[in-house]
Amino acid sequence: MKKLIILFLTALLLMAGLVSCTQKSLLDPNAPVTLSLWHVYGEQADAPMNRLVKEFNATVGQEKGIVVTVTNVTSTSKIGGQLKAAMNGEPGSPEMPDLFSAHTSHAGLLGAENLVNWDNWFSEKELKKYVPEFVESGRTDSGLSIFPVSKSSYALFINGSQFDRFSADTGVTYDDLATWEGFFAAAEKYYTWSEGKTFCALDYLIRHVELDIQSKKGSPEFEENGWFNTDDSTVYDSFMMFAEPLAKGYIAVSEQYSNTHVTTGQMVCGIGSTASITYFNDTVTYPDNTTEPINLRVLPLPMSGSEVEYIPQSGVGLAAYKTTEQKAEAASVFVRWFTEGQRNLDFVVQTGYMPVCIEAYDKIDDYAYPNAAYESLFAAIRIMHEKYTAISRPDFDGFYAKTNTLYDGLRQMQPTLKQRSAAGEDGKKLAEEAWEFFKTIQ
C-alpha cells in the first residue's frame, strides 16, 4: 500500500512539472497580435529583413496569430537615440516599438529591466544551438536582453587581379597572408615591387592592436581616463607591430573605408567589416582610369601566432520592449523562426554578416552563393568560426572618441612618415613618433 501511495504521489509531481513546462499559449490565430518592428538592415522596400517579415506573416504568423509590421528602418548610429526619445515620449517621436534592433549598450540606455528576458522564452537546449560567444554578448544583469541574429567581424579583402600579378613576380601567395608576420613581409615586398605603393588599408587599426594584446597576455588594461595603459610593454609591442609598417608606408589607416582604396586601385587589399562585401564592385578602376575585373578574394584575419586567436564581433541583435506576456511570446516566436539555420544563412549571405546559428556554419560549403566573392567571404567566415574566438569590442563612454582622435592623427602623420622613410630615416624611430602621439590621447 505504501508503495502505491509513493507511486501515486510521484505521478502527481511529474504531471505538475509537465503542466508547468507546457504553459498554454497566449496566441490566438483568430485574434492576431501585432508587433511593431524597427530594424537597421537596409532602407529599400525589398531589403532582406522586410522580405523575411512578409514571409513570416504569410506562414507562421498567420498560423499562430502574429503580424509583424516594420514601422521604422534606420541605422545603427541613429537607432539608440530614436529608441530613447520614443521611450521618454519626446514630442514628435513615434511610439516605442515592440521589437527592435539593438546593441547590448542600448540595454543600459533603455534599462534592461524594461526589456524582455529571452531566457524566459528559450530553453538552455535551444540556446545551445547558437554560437556561445554571440549569446553571451547579449547578456546583461537582467538576463539575455539582446538576442543574436547576425554578427559582423573583420576580414582581408584583396584585388585578386593585381595580387596575382604580384604573386607571379615575387612568389608571395595567399597562404603567406595567414599570419601578421607573413602579411607584413608581403606588404614590404609589395612596396618594393610596386615602387612605393601602399599594400593595405586598415579600417580599425586599434582593434587589431587590442586583439594582438588579447592573444599575447589577455584583456588590455585600461586607465581611469579610458585609454590604454601605455606603461604596459605588451601594449607598446602590439602597437609598434603596426606602427612601423605604417611609418614605412606599407600599410595605412584608411581615409574613409578600406573598400574604397581597393576598388579605386590605390591599394591591393583592405581589412574591414565582413559587411563591406556589399560595397565592392565587380571591377577595379585604377587612378589612370583603366579597369579590370577585381576578382575579389577574401581571407580570414591574419593570425597573431599565439595559442588562442581572436576576431572581433559586432553588430546588433533583437530586443523586445516589455509590455504584455502575449507580445513577449509573439516576439519569441518570430526570433526563433528568423534565426533558424538555413534561414539565418540565407539572411547573412545577403548582408555579409556571420551566422549566429551553429547549424548554418555546417551549410556554408554547399551554399549556392551569388558569386565567387561571396563564396570566398563565407569560406573565410567558416575558418574564423572554427579557429578563432569572437570577442566584443570595448564599450565604455568616450572610448570611440579617443579612437577617432587616434585615427585622425595617424592619417595626418602617415604621408610625412612615409616620405621620411623613403628618404632614408629609420622606420622604427619614425614609428616611435606615432607611439608618442598614441600616449598623448586622453
Side-chain angles (χ1 to χ4, degrees):
M1 184 69 176
K2 183 182 284 188
K3 286 184 178 180
L4 287 173
I5 292 173
I6 290 171
L7 288 172
F8 177 72
L9 291 173
T10 301
L12 284 177
L13 288 171
L14 288 172
M15 289 176 66
L18 189 62
V19 169
S20 65
C21 292
T22 55
Q23 188 177 18
K24 183 179 178 182
S25 174
L26 300 172
L27 302 174
D28 181 359
N30 295 317
V33 59
T34 298
L35 298 178
S36 54
L37 168 66
W38 290 8
H39 72 80
V40 297
Y41 296 107
E43 296 186 6
Q44 62 272 32
D46 64 342
M49 184 65 148
N50 291 354
R51 290 199 299 271
L52 284 169
V53 166
K54 290 179 181 178
E55 181 184 341
F56 173 82
N57 288 338
T59 55
V60 174
Q62 185 174 13
E63 174 191 336
K64 293 184 176 293
I66 306 167
V67 178
V68 178
T69 304
V70 177
T71 56
N72 183 22
V73 182
T74 182
S75 66
T76 54
S77 61
K78 294 178 181 178
I79 195 165
Q82 293 173 344
L83 288 167
K84 188 66 174 176
M87 176 174 277
N88 292 339
E90 294 181 10
S93 296
E95 288 186 9
M96 188 70 183
D98 299 305
L99 195 60
F100 49 90
S101 297
H103 288 291
T104 307
S105 60
H106 293 147
L109 182 72
L110 303 172
E113 69 279 5
N114 296 315
L115 306 179
V116 169
N117 179 5
W118 297 114
D119 284 325
N120 296 333
W121 297 97
F122 287 80
S123 67
E124 288 186 19
K125 183 178 179 180
E126 285 181 303
L127 290 177
K128 286 181 179 178
K129 296 178 181 179
Y130 300 90
V131 177
E133 298 93 332
F134 296 166
V135 173
E136 290 307 308
S137 71
R139 291 198 176 280
T140 65
D141 292 341
S142 298
L144 183 56
S145 299
I146 313 295
F147 201 97
V149 295
S150 67
K151 290 288 182 176
S152 64
S153 190
Y154 304 158
L156 174 59
F157 295 85
I158 304 169
N159 171 354
S161 295
Q162 177 77 336
F163 186 88
D164 289 347
R165 288 191 290 272
F166 164 60
S167 177
D169 289 347
T170 63
V172 175
T173 67
Y174 291 108
D175 289 342
D176 293 324
L177 307 179
T179 65
W180 284 117
E181 182 180 6
F183 172 88
F184 289 128
E188 181 176 5
K189 289 180 180 178
Y190 181 81
Y191 181 87
T192 301
W193 177 79
S194 64
E195 299 181 342
K197 290 185 178 179
T198 300
F199 180 64
C200 185
L202 284 73
D203 285 344
Y204 312 104
L205 183 142
I206 194 61
R207 193 66 175 115
H208 303 299
V209 174
E210 292 164 15
L211 295 172
D212 190 64
I213 295 169
Q214 184 87 26
S215 292
K216 289 175 177 173
K217 65 162 287 184
S219 300
E221 181 182 339
F222 294 95
E223 299 283 18
E224 290 183 5
N225 64 6
W227 195 237
F228 297 87
N229 175 10
T230 54
D231 291 330
D232 186 338
S233 61
T234 307
V235 174
Y236 171 81
D237 292 341
S238 294
F239 180 79
M240 289 295 285
M241 185 175 81
F242 293 90
E244 189 168 348
L246 183 143
K248 292 177 177 178
Y250 304 161
I251 65 171
V253 174
S254 58
E255 291 297 330
Q256 292 182 319
Y257 290 104
S258 57
N259 61 284
T260 302
H261 294 281
V262 179
T263 55
T264 56
Q266 300 172 57
M267 301 177 198
V268 72
C269 61
I271 297 180
S273 169
T274 55
S276 67
I277 185 73
T278 59
Y279 296 98
F280 278 92
N281 302 321
D282 294 333
T283 59
V284 56
T285 303
Y286 294 99
D288 62 1
N289 285 326
T290 59
T291 63
E292 68 176 339
I294 195 169
N295 293 327
L296 190 67
R297 288 289 301 271
V298 189
L299 301 180
L301 276 186
M303 292 184 170
S304 68
S306 299
E307 186 176 340
V308 182
E309 300 290 340
Y310 294 94
I311 54 171
Q313 59 157 308
S314 56
V316 295
L318 280 175
Y321 190 46
K322 190 184 291 184
T323 52
T324 67
E325 287 292 289
Q326 184 190 43
K327 285 196 171 186
E329 181 183 353
S332 72
V333 170
F334 175 76
V335 170
R336 186 177 287 106
W337 176 89
F338 184 69
T339 57
E340 287 175 355
Q342 184 64 48
R343 189 171 295 107
N344 188 218
L345 183 57
D346 289 339
F347 175 70
V348 296
V349 166
Q350 296 176 75
T351 55
Y353 289 96
M354 302 174 73
V356 298
C357 181
I358 294 172
E359 179 190 344
Y361 288 91
D362 298 331
K363 301 175 182 293
I364 281 177
D365 286 348
D366 299 323
Y367 195 85
Y369 296 96
N371 55 49
Y374 277 78
E375 184 174 2
S376 182
L377 170 64
F378 279 87
I381 284 175
R382 180 180 55 77
I383 291 171
M384 292 193 290
H385 169 68
E386 294 171 354
K387 297 185 177 181
Y388 300 63
T389 298
I391 58 175
S392 299
R393 301 175 299 179
D395 188 16
F396 45 81
D397 287 345
F399 181 72
Y400 292 107
K402 292 178 174 64
T403 63
N404 289 334
T405 299
L406 174 68
Y407 296 154
D408 289 342
L410 291 178
R411 289 188 189 103
Q412 292 177 23
M413 296 175 71
Q414 59 194 14
T416 302
L417 293 175
K418 180 179 179 180
Q419 290 170 5
R420 290 168 60 191
S421 175
E425 291 192 49
D426 182 71
K428 187 170 183 179
K429 288 184 178 179
L430 293 171
E432 291 280 359
E433 295 182 21
W435 170 249
E436 290 302 318
F437 171 65
F438 182 87
K439 290 166 61 177
T440 67
I441 295 175
Q442 298 295 325

